[in-house]
């Protein structure tokens, strides 16, 4: 059986890998496989081999690989085919967030994989949100801030504002950006609530600018 790792490595492009690595600040080696081709290779793999018996085991293996596209492939698989995992899968997702952490994989996990899982098992939210937002791992905190991005009217605004408030003093760029992004997204639902929050708290300039990007100061 051809593994997904073998399939991806057979389709590497050295020429394309260099600018991809540079874009990601040379944090990780790349195979040079762009998103469209990556998703086609995942589809080819599934068509030839069928769904793996243990999807979570496969994605953990892919996150252990060096090449960044293999982590992206893991997120592709989870986003499309892993929507109804057992509640205990959150422990795996937490592990993935803290493995080779950078904004690209963390945002894919937070905005889709973790987001979908919490919708399926809302009782998990208070348990893991509290641990993540009160911990010292910025990527888990970012996940807590961002997991409601697509919830729209179903957003728990109290939780969103509390999560942002917890990290308002952070100097971390990725936290400041997450706060602004989360508030900007919720402003599409309740712009006045976001404006009130922003004007009643001291936000980093980046967070404030992002939060008010589409609604203005007034």
């Amino acid at each position: 059986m051809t593994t997904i790792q073998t399939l991806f490595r057979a389709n590497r492009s050295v020429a394309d890998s260099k600018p991809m690595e540079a874009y990601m600040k040379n944090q990780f080696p790349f195979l040079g496989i762009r998103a469209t081709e990556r998703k086609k290779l995942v589809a080819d793999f599934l068509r030839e081999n069928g769904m793996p018996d243990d999807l979570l085991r496969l994605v953990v293996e892919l996150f252990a690989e060096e090449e960044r596209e293999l982590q992206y492939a893991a997120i592709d698989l989870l986003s499309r085919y892993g929507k109804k995992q057992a509640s205990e899968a959150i422990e795996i997702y937490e592990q993935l967030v803290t493995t080779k952490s950078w904004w690209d994989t963390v945002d894919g996990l937070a905005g889709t994989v973790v987001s979908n899982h919490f919708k399926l098992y809302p009782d998990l939210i208070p348990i893991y949100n509290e641990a993540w937002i009160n911990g010292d791992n910025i990527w888990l905190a970012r996940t807590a801030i961002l997991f409601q991005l697509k919830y729209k009217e179903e957003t728990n605004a109290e939780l969103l504002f509390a999560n942002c408030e917890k990290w308002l003093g952070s100097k971390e760029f990725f936290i400041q950006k997450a706060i602004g992004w989360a508030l900007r997204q919720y402003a599409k639902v309740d712009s006045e609530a976001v404006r009130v929050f922003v004007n009643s708290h001291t936000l980093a300039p980046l967070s404030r600018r992002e939060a008010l990007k589409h609604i203005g100061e007034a």
Side-chain angles (χ1 to χ4, degrees):
M1 181 182 79
T2 301
T3 67
I4 196 166
Q5 293 95 320
T6 300
L7 182 62
F8 270 52
R9 288 169 183 149
N11 285 272
R12 72 170 67 235
S13 168
V14 175
D16 286 335
S17 69
K18 299 309 176 185
M20 295 170 78
E21 290 172 357
Y23 179 72
M24 292 299 295
K25 309 295 186 185
N26 295 304
Q27 294 280 326
F28 313 99
F30 277 75
L31 292 165
I33 300 172
R34 300 186 181 277
T36 301
E37 177 65 12
R38 183 185 80 236
K39 290 176 181 178
K40 179 181 179 299
L41 290 174
V42 170
D44 290 346
F45 168 79
L46 292 174
R47 186 165 48 251
E48 179 181 340
N49 301 287
M51 281 296 296
D53 294 332
D54 190 340
L55 178 59
L56 294 180
R57 181 182 59 78
L58 174 59
V59 300
V60 169
E61 289 177 359
L62 293 176
F63 260 75
E65 299 290 351
E66 289 188 0
E67 300 93 336
R68 198 56 166 172
E69 290 92 338
L70 292 171
Q71 282 96 66
Y72 297 161
I75 296 171
D76 290 341
L77 285 165
L78 285 173
S79 298
R80 185 163 183 182
Y81 304 105
K83 294 180 180 179
K84 294 185 178 180
Q85 296 293 322
S87 64
E88 292 79 10
I90 189 62
E91 297 177 12
I92 299 296
Y93 303 154
E94 182 180 61
Q95 175 186 336
L96 299 182
V97 169
T98 58
T99 300
K100 296 183 172 66
S101 306
W102 201 245
W103 65 265
D104 53 343
T105 54
V106 171
D107 291 2
L109 291 164
T112 301
V113 179
V114 172
S115 177
N116 290 339
H117 200 69
F118 279 162
K119 274 200 168 185
L120 194 60
Y121 303 104
D123 289 348
L124 294 175
I125 294 175
I127 301 169
Y128 284 87
N129 184 86
E130 182 177 0
W132 296 349
I133 207 66
N134 290 308
D136 57 6
N137 185 294
I138 66 164
W139 301 110
L140 290 174
R142 183 175 169 100
T143 300
I145 293 167
L146 294 179
F147 80 85
Q148 296 192 86
L149 275 179
K150 298 177 183 177
Y151 283 14
K152 299 181 181 179
E153 288 80 7
E154 296 178 14
T155 300
N156 180 335
E158 182 180 355
L159 182 64
L160 169 63
F161 292 139
N163 283 348
C164 291
E165 189 172 27
K166 184 75 179 181
W167 284 78
L168 287 182
S170 176
K171 305 297 184 184
E172 288 284 351
F173 170 84
F174 292 110
I175 291 294
Q176 294 181 2
K177 187 76 171 181
I179 290 171
W181 185 12
L183 293 173
R184 185 180 76 229
Q185 195 72 4
Y186 186 60
K188 297 176 182 178
V189 175
D190 191 341
S191 60
E192 187 57 28
V194 170
R195 195 178 285 113
V196 167
F197 178 84
V198 169
N199 289 329
S200 61
H201 293 78
T202 302
L203 275 69
L206 171 60
S207 301
R208 182 182 182 93
R209 186 169 60 251
E210 288 291 321
L212 299 176
K213 187 172 185 178
H214 299 306
I215 63 174
E217 297 277 351

